[in-house]
Amino acid sequence: MSLKKRLAEDRILLAPGVYDALTGLLAEQAGAEAVYLSGASIAYTRFGRPDLGLVSMTEVADTIAVLRDRVAVPIVADADNGFGNALNVQRTVRMFERMGANALQLEDQTLPKRCGHLDGKTLVSPAEMVGKVRAACDARGSDETLIIGRTDAIAVEGLEAALDRGEAYLEAGVDMLFVEAPQSLAEIETIVQRFAGRAPLMANMIEGGRTPAVDAAGLEGLGFRFVIFPGGVVRALAATARDYYGNLVAAGSNEAFRDRMFDFDGLNRVIGTADMLARGRRYDEGAG
């Protein structure tokens, strides 16, 4: 089933955040129907830095490519603010689509952008973002490639301005609307009342972020059709890695940590080593 058809169903789609092929594979093996390639998580894991616009378009594109090579589920890609003006947006759409993305999320922040749950964001004008949305829709090679319009206006201009921007982005042609970082259940309900039924609505759940925590079932009941948990895996892995390295340095061994990690054979089972070696033998010299 295509992402577009799945989102048309009357049930929410949950996309775990991933940042490389291994996390994508693990999410798919856990039963995820789609994954969300988080630009923030790429910054966290590749650079050990915050989400402050440090990740480039080509670095995200390369990650989409290796992720697509490893998983079959739809990939929703964080395209930040398109990495420039409307022409940059078109290049981003073409490249991400070529690499295997099924949807691109575009936001209305200026350069350099920052995480939607950090202070100090600034926005482009509504007219500039409308131009970017139209450029993105024109650039895609398939109508099955979805363009998600995100506004960060709540923190900068207030809820009413965010709603007005949402109207403009829907009119410009976005396939899904994402009003980032509502700060209360009342704001969440206002967003739903305004836009539910007009386009799929997207929610972002960040542990410790600005938005009240609501589980997928609760969001579905409110009227959302898509929810991401973009950086949760990095926060989980970072906590585990801190404990792992602390134990190893203190104890000089992994023995006390063995029940919290795969052994050599266990990891090879997860990544499919035996299957890959068997497939390789089909092409050995003399193989029929």
Side-chain angles (χ1 to χ4, degrees):
M1 181 182 297
S2 73
L3 180 62
K4 189 174 185 177
K5 290 180 179 177
R6 174 60 181 84
L7 287 167
E9 294 187 358
D10 193 26
R11 58 190 179 100
I12 200 166
L13 174 61
L14 186 155
V18 302
Y19 60 85
D20 64 3
L22 179 60
T23 51
L25 175 65
L26 291 167
E28 184 179 60
Q29 289 176 345
E33 296 181 77
V35 294
Y36 178 79
L37 178 57
S38 162
S41 293
I42 295 174
Y44 299 155
T45 58
R46 188 165 183 174
F47 307 134
R49 296 291 187 182
D51 182 17
L52 297 176
L54 301 175
V55 180
S56 71
M57 182 266 281
T58 53
E59 287 164 338
V60 180
D62 288 345
T63 308
I64 295 170
V66 296
L67 184 57
R68 173 49 70 219
D69 188 58
R70 196 65 184 95
V71 303
V73 296
I75 299 169
V76 179
D78 182 358
D80 284 350
N81 46 20
F83 306 97
N85 64 15
L87 296 179
N88 294 100
V89 167
Q90 291 197 315
R91 180 169 181 252
T92 298
V93 169
R94 289 192 297 266
M95 181 171 285
F96 284 17
E97 189 176 37
R98 236 178 8 251
M99 295 298 181
N102 302 95
L104 288 82
Q105 175 203 297
L106 292 168
E107 64 198 47
D108 54 8
Q109 288 194 47
T110 59
L111 291 166
K113 60 87 62 181
R114 61 180 61 196
C115 172
H117 291 250
L118 290 176
D119 292 329
K121 296 176 290 185
T122 56
L123 308 179
V124 300
S125 69
E128 181 176 342
M129 183 61 178
V130 164
K132 286 185 173 186
V133 169
R134 291 173 52 218
C137 293
D138 288 345
R140 58 186 168 185
S142 169
D143 288 341
E144 292 293 326
T145 301
L146 306 184
I147 304 300
I148 303 169
R150 164 177 152 177
T151 179
D152 286 78
I154 288 179
V156 181
E157 300 174 343
L159 178 60
E160 286 303 317
L163 298 176
D164 290 342
R165 283 175 176 263
E167 291 284 359
Y169 304 164
L170 282 176
E171 179 67 24
V174 296
D175 301 289
M176 188 188 310
L177 187 62
F178 177 17
V179 181
E180 170 66 308
Q183 299 179 19
S184 67
L185 283 173
E187 288 192 346
I188 292 172
E189 290 169 353
T190 299
I191 293 165
V192 173
Q193 289 166 5
R194 182 73 166 264
F195 298 114
R198 300 170 60 191
L201 292 179
M202 175 175 169
N204 178 17
M205 291 291 108
I206 295 181
E207 302 79 14
R210 300 293 178 84
T211 302
V214 184
D215 64 17
L219 289 167
E220 180 182 296
L222 287 166
F224 288 89
R225 287 296 169 263
F226 186 58
V227 58
I228 59 172
F229 290 78
V233 67
V234 180
R235 286 184 281 278
L237 289 173
T240 301
R242 181 188 59 189
D243 292 348
Y244 166 80
Y245 289 123
N247 171 78
L248 177 60
V249 170
S253 164
N254 285 326
E255 194 57 37
F257 215 83
R258 287 286 297 276
D259 62 345
R260 297 180 60 187
M261 59 191 291
F262 288 115
D263 64 10
F264 182 74
D265 289 338
L267 182 59
N268 278 307
R269 284 192 294 272
V270 168
I271 61 178
T273 301
D275 176 67
M276 196 166 192
L277 290 172
R279 285 189 286 118
R281 285 193 292 271
R282 294 171 52 196
Y283 305 103
D284 288 346
E285 185 176 352

